[in-house]
Amino acid sequence: MGMDFFEASAERFSYRGSYLPDAVPRSDLERIMQAGLDAPSGCNKQTTSLIAVDDPALLAQIFAIMEKTPSKNAPAAVCVTTKRIVAYKDGWGNERCYGVQDYSAAIENMLLAITALGYASCWIEGYVTDADEQGKRIAALLGVPEEESLICVLPIGRAADPAKRVRKKPFEERTHFNHW
Amino acid sequence: MGMDFFEASAERFSYRGSYLPDAVPRSDLERIMQAGLDAPSGCNKQTTSLIAVDDPALLAQIFAIMEKTPSKNAPAAVCVTTKRIVAYKDGWGNERCYGVQDYSAAIENMLLAITALGYASCWIEGYVTDADEQGKRIAALLGVPEEESLICVLPIGRAADPAKRVRKKPFEERTHFNHW
């Protein structure tokens, strides 16, 4: 089962509704994570790691930590961690790290994979990395090593509610040809 | 014309070879940029803008600025700019901005679109944003407004050389189920 890339790109949206209780098979979680690992990383440092969670008791604990987050009944989730690795030093001695770029590309790939497989999700990073450090508590729960930061949770499941899509600026406002 | 999402995800790679001279039709550049705009952005702030370049004289000027970059003969490129917009203030008064996440998701979508359409590309950000500020000089050339930072150039064209793919860590090393 799959979906055309352009269809997946156009169909993907941030879902904040309730989920159906249907379990997400491990084989689908593996395909979703493989898509995440397919993403490029600055100087191939592969700074991103992934933890799929489908244990109902663990999911309940994670969603209890994520107080302000909607969609607390997803039957699965992928947690995203990042490790600070210097990609290179530029000619002026500055350390260049691309961890945020790396995990963002991995997350976008996973969101497209989730869409292509008929599931819904939402990129939940803000709540997780706010000053109350929900991410640190989730990391402790999952046994994530010290040097890794847990920065995002993607709930995964079949949507129970209708899609609500945000309005976006028209194409012409955000794109240009040859000159701004 | 299209490609299955999972195929595009697996096929995408960073191409640093030479390009064939075949022009990239505007309709393809539009599909690529639309995929970029399809990507999510933190609190829907849509911080990313795109400039497709297919004017040969302008491309020559851009690639002349990008001294250390390979693949200087691509027949087209998309330049990516980002504007600092605060997504929200967290409960502790910290301004949260997701510009890097936003443009990274947009770039990954475009790389997949480029792959799905049979073109090659490479995420060139490091050279562009190093301390010699190539991005600022390219931005000046393209008339990019002051408040926008040009942070990435994606060359686009048909590959003339064979694909060289980087080796990646095995799936098991970067993924976990329910516990690290």
Side-chain angles (χ1 to χ4, degrees):
Chain A
M1 182 188 167
M3 185 186 276
D4 176 73
F5 162 73
F6 290 101
E7 192 184 341
S9 173
E11 283 294 312
R12 186 216 54 78
F13 73 103
S14 299
Y15 180 70
R16 296 184 175 84
S18 194
Y19 287 89
L20 296 174
D22 318 32
V24 180
R26 285 267 167 121
S27 56
D28 282 354
L29 292 173
E30 283 169 2
R31 291 188 80 185
I32 291 162
M33 290 196 289
Q34 182 59 57
L37 301 192
D38 285 344
S41 64
C43 299
N44 196 32
K45 294 298 181 190
Q46 303 174 69
T47 53
T48 309
S49 292
L50 307 172
I51 310 163
V53 182
D54 59 1
D55 177 313
L58 213 44
L59 284 165
Q61 287 177 279
I62 290 171
F63 289 126
I65 292 170
M66 298 170 69
E67 294 166 30
K68 290 174 287 186
T69 299
S71 316
K72 289 173 186 289
N73 71 335
V78 170
C79 299
V80 182
T81 73
T82 181
K83 185 176 174 178
R84 188 186 146 83
I85 302 175
V86 175
Y88 67 93
K89 277 194 185 184
D90 72 13
W92 298 263
N94 305 302
E95 289 187 347
R96 304 302 311 265
C97 294
Y98 296 97
V100 181
Q101 288 87 334
D102 297 350
Y103 73 67
S104 300
I107 290 169
E108 179 59 10
N109 266 19
M110 289 193 284
L111 291 173
L112 293 170
I114 289 165
T115 303
L117 294 171
Y119 299 108
S121 186
C122 185
W123 183 330
I124 305 174
E125 174 172 352
Y127 291 137
V128 170
T129 57
D130 276 355
D132 59 341
E133 299 188 329
Q134 295 177 5
K136 278 205 177 169
R137 286 182 276 155
I138 299 168
L141 193 65
L142 300 176
V144 173
E146 270 293 302
E147 65 272 22
E148 299 276 343
S149 303
L150 193 153
I151 48 76
C152 177
V153 176
L154 301 179
I156 304 171
R158 306 274 173 209
D161 300 320
K164 279 186 201 165
R165 289 163 191 276
V166 293
R167 276 176 71 105
K168 288 195 184 180
K169 293 175 193 164
F171 183 85
E172 292 69 26
E173 231 173 87
R174 295 178 65 194
T175 64
H176 310 270
F177 274 99
N178 291 314
H179 200 275
W180 185 280
Chain B
M1 183 186 166
M3 185 187 275
D4 176 73
F5 162 74
F6 289 101
E7 192 185 342
S9 174
E11 284 294 312
R12 186 215 55 77
F13 73 102
S14 299
Y15 179 70
R16 295 184 175 85
S18 194
Y19 287 89
L20 297 174
D22 317 34
V24 180
R26 284 269 167 119
S27 56
D28 282 354
L29 292 173
E30 283 169 2
R31 292 187 80 183
I32 291 162
M33 291 197 288
Q34 182 59 56
L37 301 192
D38 284 346
S41 64
C43 300
N44 196 33
K45 293 297 181 190
Q46 302 173 70
T47 52
T48 309
S49 292
L50 307 171
I51 310 164
V53 182
D54 59 2
D55 177 314
L58 212 45
L59 285 164
Q61 287 177 278
I62 291 171
F63 290 126
I65 292 170
M66 298 170 70
E67 294 166 29
K68 290 174 287 186
T69 299
S71 313
K72 288 174 186 290
N73 71 336
V78 170
C79 299
V80 182
T81 73
T82 181
K83 184 177 173 177
R84 189 186 145 83
I85 302 176
V86 175
Y88 66 94
K89 277 193 185 184
D90 73 11
W92 298 264
N94 305 303
E95 289 186 346
R96 303 302 312 264
C97 294
Y98 296 98
V100 180
Q101 289 86 335
D102 298 350
Y103 74 66
S104 300
I107 290 169
E108 179 60 10
N109 267 18
M110 288 193 285
L111 291 173
L112 294 170
I114 288 165
T115 303
L117 293 171
Y119 299 108
S121 186
C122 185
W123 183 330
I124 305 174
E125 174 172 350
Y127 291 137
V128 170
T129 58
D130 276 354
D132 59 342
E133 299 189 328
Q134 297 177 2
K136 277 205 179 171
R137 285 181 276 156
I138 299 168
L141 194 65
L142 301 176
V144 173
E146 271 294 302
E147 64 272 22
E148 299 276 342
S149 302
L150 192 153
I151 48 76
C152 177
V153 175
L154 301 179
I156 305 170
R158 305 277 172 206
D161 300 320
K164 279 187 201 163
R165 289 161 191 278
V166 292
R167 276 176 72 105
K168 289 195 183 180
K169 293 175 192 163
F171 184 85
E172 293 68 27
E173 231 174 87
R174 295 178 65 195
T175 64
H176 310 269
F177 274 98
N178 290 314
H179 200 277
W180 185 280

